[in-house]
Amino acid sequence: MKSNLHHLNSHLGEPQTRTVLRWITETESQCIPFDRAMALLGSSEDADIQLSQGPELALRIEKRGEVFHLFSLTDGQVTINGSPFQETIFSPGSCCRIGKGILILDTELINSPIESQVETEKSVLAGLQEFTHVAGTETDLKRLLEQVLATISKELSATEALLFVLADNAQPRLILSSGIQKPEEHFSDTVVQDVLKNKQGIVLANAMTDSKYSGANSIVNLKLQSVVCVPILLAEKVKGLVYVGCRRGNRSYGQSELGIVQIYSLIAGMLIHHVDYIAQQQKSISRLTAADEGMIAASPAMKKIIEQILPLAPSDITILLQGETGTGKDVVAQFIHNKSLRKEKPFLAVNISSLGGELLESELFGYKKGAFTGAHQDREGLFKAARGGTLFLDELGEMHPDLQAKLLRSLETGKIRPVGSTAEEAVDVRVICATNRNLQSMVSEGKFREDLYYRLAQVVIPLPPLRERGEDIQILAYHFLEKFKAKYPHKVIRDFHPDALQALMSHEWPGNVRELVNVVHRALLSSPGEYVQLDMATFKEKFAGLDEATQRFQRNYISRALILAGGNKEQAAQILQMSRSTFFRYLSQLNLVGQK
């Protein structure tokens, strides 16, 4: 039992006392802890212990061993037990009158360690609740960081709270301060440099008497009482630091205050990291678009496409781009042209689905005056206008069979015949085609010429849907955001709201990149503040069932294997490492039996 009581007393700690100065006036009563060797008292801001009234510098108190000495700094305005003095012993219970106030030397009981911890935890929790309440309505980073400093100042009764970030030369750069003017003159550079060097927080209960720091010029000049300085760490790297100082004698910092500042330095670090991350995203966008002429390819799927394109681009081989609507086939076609030897010549595009048969023929091959009603003069077509360059035929699967034959002849002979003409004209054009339809199935059904298909599909490049390009979604979103910000300068937009980014990343994007463009455009215009928000009620992820999602993946995967195999089922089965019977069973189950 005795052993258990000893253990309990050891855990709780023996009762402790501390020396305090009690300052009493007609309107206030203040208890000021005193744990330093010397202090100046008065109403001046330069006093170590600032009093609410009386002379600017009233007296000096020194502790010599266990004895306190008082030195009057005024002429008759300070008395002890009713008598003026120049120097006297200040005993517990003695009353020193300063103007209309009374100063008493006393002792008080300090809470046990457990009680102190509980009180500290309650204080920290209350401070965090207040901070989150304010921060929950704020989106501006600078104001959020200012709120961090304001909360720390309140919690620690600080005379100064400062936030530094590391500049490019690894030196601390002061970016924010709380409670002071000319903040660059109110911190100890010695303490700051030690924190940066050791990557550990420092707490000084009494900087003026600390054996290591008391001689530092910054400590002496600032007359610092207590200091807490904590590094802002991200992935074990110092990104900045939080510095808190107190030049009043009524507060002495310890481990509890160090823990509080560490909590808020973590919050500040997360906020700063968010800005750094966005800045890196912006740099990535600039680098990707500058290097690849508009192609954003951070995902493995798109990097593989670029690897496939680069050796083909300088040649004149005909390329067929195949993919879902909105996957950016026009962007890829432009990229191929930009990487080709024809990049200084025109790049012209035509969407076949938007033009009827006769109109499309005139658009492609041109016409002669009088060829039809309204043909008042000769007009060259896109084949001739793109001479020396590239002609991009989008939505190839929509081309009328009659025009397919004429296109095939032009591709094989390198000549065109304008509508209404009997003569052929030579053209030098590279053709890139694109479709969202399965041309092999159309060939089997007699809706697309087989000979034209093989003439155009010398190289087939299947483009992945956006849902398979997870790494590209956020970068693309920021890319389009910057474009629209330039288009609408009256909209002051800083960033996406975090909830909006999460929604963008989780959406399945059935409309692919085209849908993403529209969502960003609409969200920017409808967002009232500085941060782009989404209407979460209408922009909500609708997950397909597992069976449906699995079938969709299998259908897309097998279709791409068929494209790579040029429609040859035997080769497609080998690519997928399946037996012939298993492959054909999948074709039947997934309704792909029409595939060639």
Side-chain angles (χ1 to χ4, degrees):
M1 176 67 71
K2 186 175 182 179
S3 175
N4 290 338
L5 287 174
H6 174 75
H7 176 75
L8 181 60
N9 287 333
S10 174
H11 180 69
L12 293 175
E14 296 296 332
Q16 300 179 23
T17 62
R18 63 178 176 180
T19 300
V20 296
L21 299 174
R22 299 192 185 277
W23 172 244
I24 303 171
T25 69
E26 293 179 353
T27 59
E28 67 172 327
S29 176
Q30 187 177 4
C31 181
I32 306 170
F34 186 85
D35 59 355
R36 57 176 67 189
M38 184 274 291
L40 298 176
L41 285 79
S43 59
S44 170
E45 290 185 357
D46 295 328
D48 300 317
I49 298 178
Q50 191 173 358
L51 305 177
S52 58
Q53 55 181 266
E56 290 189 352
L57 290 177
L59 55 83
R60 182 174 81 250
I61 181 172
E62 292 183 6
K63 183 181 181 183
R64 300 174 183 175
E66 298 300 322
V67 180
F68 293 87
H69 294 256
L70 285 184
F71 298 85
S72 175
L73 303 179
T74 65
D75 186 13
Q77 298 185 54
V78 178
T79 63
I80 188 160
N81 297 328
S83 302
F85 67 94
Q86 293 297 319
E87 178 183 355
T88 187
I89 301 297
F90 195 25
S91 303
S94 299
C95 293
C96 178
R97 179 172 289 277
I98 304 173
K100 296 181 179 181
I102 296 175
L103 188 71
I104 301 174
L105 182 66
D106 197 1
T107 59
E108 71 173 10
L109 185 67
I110 302 175
N111 288 342
S112 71
I114 287 182
E115 290 172 334
S116 298
Q117 181 180 353
V118 170
E119 290 301 317
T120 299
E121 290 175 352
K122 288 181 178 178
S123 175
V124 172
L125 180 59
L128 284 172
Q129 287 176 333
E130 182 178 350
F131 171 78
T132 53
H133 176 72
V134 175
T137 60
E138 184 56 72
T139 55
D140 181 76
L141 175 69
K142 182 175 182 292
R143 291 195 287 268
L144 281 168
L145 291 175
E146 287 174 345
Q147 185 60 40
V148 169
L149 292 186
T151 304
I152 294 174
S153 294
K154 182 179 179 181
E155 287 290 312
L156 273 65
S157 302
T159 52
E160 54 264 334
L162 306 102
L163 179 66
F164 298 81
V165 296
L166 292 195
D168 293 337
N169 60 358
Q171 291 302 308
R173 177 169 61 88
L174 179 63
I175 62 168
L176 285 176
S177 63
S178 177
I180 49 173
Q181 295 181 344
K182 296 183 178 180
E184 64 277 0
E185 300 176 2
H186 287 79
F187 68 91
S188 170
D189 189 61
T190 305
V191 172
V192 167
Q193 292 299 330
D194 274 3
V195 170
L196 292 177
K197 178 181 177 181
N198 300 319
K199 298 183 180 180
Q200 291 183 345
I202 290 176
V203 57
L204 304 178
N206 190 334
M208 294 292 290
T209 61
D210 187 88
S211 59
K212 181 177 180 180
Y213 295 98
S214 60
N217 290 333
S218 55
I219 297 289
V220 174
N221 294 337
L222 292 172
K223 299 179 181 179
L224 286 175
Q225 163 68 12
S226 279
V227 177
V228 177
C229 190
V230 172
I232 297 173
L233 296 173
L234 288 171
E236 299 184 354
K237 292 183 179 180
V238 179
K239 297 295 185 179
L241 51 88
V242 177
Y243 176 99
V244 184
C246 182
R247 287 179 286 116
R248 293 190 293 263
N250 61 346
R251 190 69 188 261
S252 179
Y253 297 152
Q255 292 301 313
S256 295
E257 288 76 12
L258 176 64
I260 292 172
V261 179
Q262 286 173 330
I263 290 172
Y264 285 99
S265 71
L266 178 62
I267 294 172
M270 290 188 291
L271 293 170
I272 293 171
H273 173 67
H274 174 69
V275 172
D276 287 343
Y277 176 73
I278 297 307
Q280 290 300 321
Q281 290 288 67
Q282 301 289 3
K283 289 180 181 178
S284 297
I285 293 168
S286 300
R287 184 177 67 252
L288 288 166
T289 54
D292 294 333
E293 288 82 20
M295 280 277 284
I296 293 177
S299 66
M302 286 306 295
K303 287 180 179 178
K304 186 175 180 180
I305 294 296
I306 290 180
E307 290 175 0
Q308 186 178 359
I309 285 173
L310 289 178
L312 301 173
S315 70
D316 280 343
I317 193 167
T318 305
I319 296 176
L320 174 63
L321 304 174
Q322 192 153 3
E324 297 176 9
T325 299
T327 50
K329 295 184 284 293
D330 54 336
V331 175
V332 176
Q334 178 76 65
F335 175 75
I336 295 171
H337 172 76
N338 293 343
K339 293 295 183 181
S340 74
L341 302 179
R342 298 173 176 266
K343 61 183 179 181
E344 302 300 330
K345 299 297 183 179
F347 173 84
L348 300 180
V350 59
N351 189 313
I352 293 173
S353 64
S354 65
L355 301 172
E358 294 182 359
L359 185 58
L360 177 60
E361 182 179 0
S362 301
E363 189 74 11
L364 291 175
F365 304 115
Y367 55 82
K368 289 294 184 179
K369 179 180 178 180
F372 50 82
T373 302
H376 301 301
Q377 59 184 10
D378 292 353
R379 180 183 175 184
E380 66 179 18
L382 293 176
F383 265 96
K384 196 169 182 178
R387 62 177 69 87
T390 302
L391 179 60
F392 175 51
L393 305 179
D394 198 5
E395 303 298 347
L396 181 68
E398 306 299 325
M399 182 175 285
H400 193 275
D402 293 342
L403 191 55
Q404 293 177 23
K406 191 166 186 178
L407 175 61
L408 176 62
R409 176 171 176 78
S410 295
L411 294 174
E412 290 179 338
T413 63
K415 298 179 181 180
I416 62 169
R417 180 181 296 172
V419 177
S421 174
T422 58
E424 292 185 328
E425 302 176 28
V427 291
D428 174 26
V429 173
R430 181 190 194 168
V431 173
I432 299 175
C433 301
T435 182
N436 65 343
R437 301 183 64 179
N438 190 321
L439 294 186
Q440 294 101 323
S441 296
M442 293 181 66
V443 169
S444 300
E445 297 166 2
K447 297 179 180 178
F448 198 87
R449 293 181 63 102
E450 184 176 18
D451 47 4
L452 177 59
Y453 171 75
Y454 287 112
R455 178 64 181 79
L456 294 174
Q458 294 178 0
V459 175
V460 178
I461 298 179
L463 299 187
L466 188 55
R467 59 182 172 274
E468 296 179 12
R469 299 172 55 186
E471 296 85 351
D472 295 334
I473 294 173
Q474 191 163 316
I475 299 179
L476 282 166
Y478 275 106
H479 172 70
F480 298 133
L481 179 64
E482 291 303 313
K483 288 181 64 176
F484 291 129
K485 283 168 62 177
K487 186 176 181 181
Y488 303 105
H490 66 284
K491 295 285 292 184
V492 181
I493 295 293
R494 293 180 179 271
D495 196 357
F496 285 101
H497 190 279
D499 289 343
L501 280 179
Q502 184 177 0
L504 291 175
M505 294 300 295
S506 64
H507 189 54
E508 193 171 325
W509 299 110
N512 294 294
V513 179
R514 185 177 294 124
E515 181 187 3
L516 176 62
V517 174
N518 294 336
V519 166
V520 173
H521 190 182
R522 185 169 60 250
L524 179 140
L525 292 176
S526 61
S527 297
E530 298 176 339
Y531 290 80
V532 175
Q533 301 182 20
L534 297 177
D535 183 357
M536 306 307 293
T538 57
F539 192 78
K540 185 179 180 181
E541 175 65 3
K542 295 181 175 60
F543 285 100
L546 181 60
D547 291 342
E548 180 185 344
T550 301
Q551 286 188 5
R552 182 168 55 203
F553 170 79
Q554 292 173 340
R555 186 179 295 108
N556 291 336
Y557 201 65
I558 291 176
S559 296
R560 291 173 67 181
L562 283 165
I563 292 171
L564 291 174
N568 187 301
K569 293 184 177 66
E570 301 286 349
Q571 292 182 16
Q574 293 176 8
I575 291 173
L576 296 172
Q577 301 179 23
M578 291 182 181
S579 67
R580 187 176 185 278
S581 60
T582 301
F583 182 76
F584 276 87
R585 185 173 69 253
Y586 271 105
L587 290 182
S588 177
Q589 291 174 350
L590 299 172
N591 197 26
L592 294 172
V593 291
Q595 297 260 17
K596 181 173 179 179

